[in-house]
Amino acid sequence: MLDAKSVFKQHYGSAPAHIVIAPGRLELLGNHTDYNEGLVMSLAIDKYIGMAGSPRPDGRIELVSSAFSNGDQFSADNPVKNPNATWADYIKGVLVQLRQRGIRFGGFNAAIHGTIPIGAGLSSSAALEVATALMVRQLYPYAVGSTAMAGPLKRDAQGELPPLGVQEKLVLARLCQAAENQFVGVNCGILDQVSSLFGKANHVILIDCRELSVQQTPLPGDVGVVVCDSGVKHALVAGEYNDRRRQCEEAARALGVKSLRCVEPKQLAAHRSKLGDSQYRCAYHVVGENQRVIFGERALRAGDFEQFGQYLYQSHESSRDFFRNSCPELDLLVELARGHRSCLGARLTGGGFGGATINLVKVAELEDFQRTIAAQFKGRTGRRMQPMSCRIVDGGQ
Ligand code: GLA
């Protein structure tokens, strides 16, 4: 089986000193809430970015990836963009952020191999960022405080580094988000990076993006998770994403609050006239999503998955009708899922405008669900779509 270690050996002719992995994520509930200081639930899934690496003495960094024919090489002191290897921007962005926090590292060779489908909205980019931060930690051990380097880090007798603590994970998540915002130029929130770091096997991650606090709550084994990739890759994703984000921020300003997190449904209704149509639609979606996460958490803790699933359907409808980040293929996938007796809930996951749906399905009928939806999607669109059943896993290490 191809993995980061074998890609490393093939390219560099020796075994790597370290291997790290970081999982992709699924947004379970709470769409476009993260950058509005809101609430969101997610899962880390068994699709990964693996990175194998060894230090090198000459201060150079060399990168290869099984997914791209072009590798890259640059000085560890000066990671600059290379138009022939834009995939490496996610890595360079993290290196720049580490340096800015006073973390010292030298050169290294690295090989990357991933199982997260690219462009399906499962956050291969955040996983690549997290894998980079973890790899540098293995190669040139560092400890991070809230804003900067917090001193050297020692390996134990077995040569292992201490596991990352909660605060360190939060700092790394912020650092990786900053890499994407500032170096790559995508104005994303913090959902993807937190999910890749805080994943816990068979648990849902609950993130409060205002407090930046994370909790984990179990998802029982009789509920399965299936991803259906619509195959639609929207050409203007970044533009649409940034546009919605701007509408949300304008709506908050017009309502006189710091963020849409501060807005209750009643308040939004009472002040609707202060907002333009698009601002209102976006705000309505975000305010509703925050409510659904609160109610969804109660349903989860009470073990009421039928009710929890209803919030997923409602979330999708709100995306489709208000936030307008769905597309006909995603709507069709949710409609087909809803028609299957074993489906508890389904919705688009992540940024939208294409990408994938998440489906909660009774485990006993997982296979029938996948077969049926694939056949129906083929019948309606003529296109092949292979549903993926996902396990919920631990975060990057
Ligand atoms: C993308 C972004 C996240 C989040 C979701 C929508 O995945 O990277 O930060 O905004 O969209 O919830």
Side-chain angles (χ1 to χ4, degrees):
M1 203 182 70
L2 195 61
D3 56 18
K5 188 175 173 180
S6 54
V7 177
F8 188 97
K9 274 191 185 158
Q10 251 168 34
H11 188 81
Y12 299 106
S14 60
H18 301 284
I19 296 170
V20 296
I21 57 168
R25 65 95 189 92
L26 283 171
E27 175 195 283
L28 179 59
L29 194 58
N31 185 243
H32 285 258
T33 50
D34 61 351
Y35 56 80
N36 289 300
E37 299 194 317
L39 302 166
V40 53
M41 287 181 180
S42 65
L43 318 164
I45 54 169
D46 58 341
K47 309 280 173 254
Y48 301 93
I49 295 286
M51 191 182 287
S54 287
R56 56 187 269 176
D58 63 356
R60 306 277 301 162
I61 292 177
E62 182 173 348
L63 305 172
V64 289
S65 162
S66 58
F68 301 93
S69 51
N70 284 342
D72 202 6
Q73 233 203 83
F74 50 91
S75 157
D77 294 330
N78 189 24
V80 282
K81 289 198 178 195
N82 172 358
N84 295 318
T86 50
W87 61 269
D89 286 355
Y90 299 94
I91 297 174
K92 292 173 188 169
V94 172
L95 298 176
V96 167
Q97 289 294 325
L98 287 168
R99 275 252 190 277
Q100 282 179 6
R101 287 165 173 77
I103 289 157
R104 278 194 281 273
F105 54 88
F108 60 89
N109 289 329
I112 295 113
H113 175 72
T115 54
I116 308 173
I118 296 171
L122 308 184
S123 276
S124 54
S125 46
L128 182 54
E129 292 152 13
V130 168
T132 304
L134 297 176
M135 178 50 78
V136 176
R137 184 173 182 266
Q138 287 297 334
L139 293 165
Y140 298 99
Y142 61 83
V144 278
S146 54
T147 53
M149 162 102 173
L153 193 59
K154 288 216 172 63
R155 293 184 184 276
D156 64 17
Q158 282 73 45
E160 301 289 332
L161 292 176
L164 287 168
V166 170
Q167 282 313 317
E168 274 188 304
K169 286 187 191 176
L170 288 173
V171 172
L172 290 187
R174 278 210 194 92
L175 185 153
C176 290
Q177 181 200 15
E180 189 149 345
N181 294 165
Q182 294 169 27
F183 198 89
V184 182
V186 175
N187 221 0
C188 64
I190 202 162
L191 160 68
D192 309 339
Q193 293 79 7
V194 167
S195 307
S196 187
L197 280 157
F198 280 88
K200 184 169 171 189
N202 306 317
H203 281 66
V204 172
I205 309 162
L206 298 154
I207 311 167
D208 181 327
C209 301
R210 182 166 61 190
E211 318 302 336
L212 200 54
S213 62
V214 182
Q215 294 176 54
Q216 291 131 329
T217 190
L219 192 68
D222 51 357
V223 181
V225 178
V226 176
V227 174
C228 294
D229 183 358
S230 70
V232 178
K233 302 199 190 331
H234 201 287
L236 297 171
V237 174
E240 298 272 22
Y241 185 92
N242 291 342
D243 167 75
R244 297 301 189 281
R245 182 167 180 160
R246 205 189 55 244
Q247 303 280 358
C248 290
E249 285 162 358
E250 282 173 10
R253 261 196 303 279
L255 294 167
V257 293
K258 180 163 175 265
S259 71
L260 289 179
R261 170 67 181 280
C262 314
V263 181
E264 300 281 325
K266 268 191 190 152
Q267 196 186 352
L268 180 62
H271 296 280
R272 181 176 179 164
S273 59
K274 292 183 180 161
L275 303 179
D277 183 54
S278 297
Q279 292 168 354
Y280 173 73
R281 284 169 178 276
C282 287
Y284 182 88
H285 176 69
V286 171
V287 170
E289 287 292 282
N290 281 330
Q291 296 279 308
R292 279 184 282 278
V293 174
I294 293 170
F295 293 130
E297 184 187 349
R298 279 183 212 156
L300 264 191
R301 292 199 195 276
D304 189 348
F305 301 106
E306 302 279 343
Q307 183 58 49
F308 185 72
Q310 292 304 310
Y311 296 129
L312 266 68
Y313 287 130
Q314 288 172 15
S315 165
H316 186 79
E317 283 161 17
S318 176
S319 270
R320 184 190 64 201
D321 301 338
F322 288 90
F323 207 70
R324 295 192 277 205
N325 60 335
S326 188
C327 65
E329 290 81 356
L330 289 170
D331 294 342
L332 175 63
L333 284 170
V334 171
E335 179 199 320
L336 297 176
R338 201 169 197 154
H340 195 280
R341 63 183 179 279
S342 70
C343 188
L344 296 159
R347 56 179 289 271
L348 70 80
T349 181
F353 313 106
T357 60
I358 178 171
N359 304 264
L360 289 189
V361 180
K362 293 179 188 154
V363 157
E365 297 204 62
L366 261 183
E367 279 172 22
D368 187 74
F369 176 83
Q370 296 183 71
R371 227 184 0 257
T372 309
I373 302 299
Q376 291 176 337
F377 190 75
K378 179 97 200 295
R380 294 275 290 266
T381 64
R383 278 192 245 150
R384 233 176 77 83
M385 186 276 305
Q386 186 65 57
M388 278 187 311
S389 168
C390 297
R391 281 189 307 113
I392 306 174
V393 300
D394 287 336
Q397 43 197 299

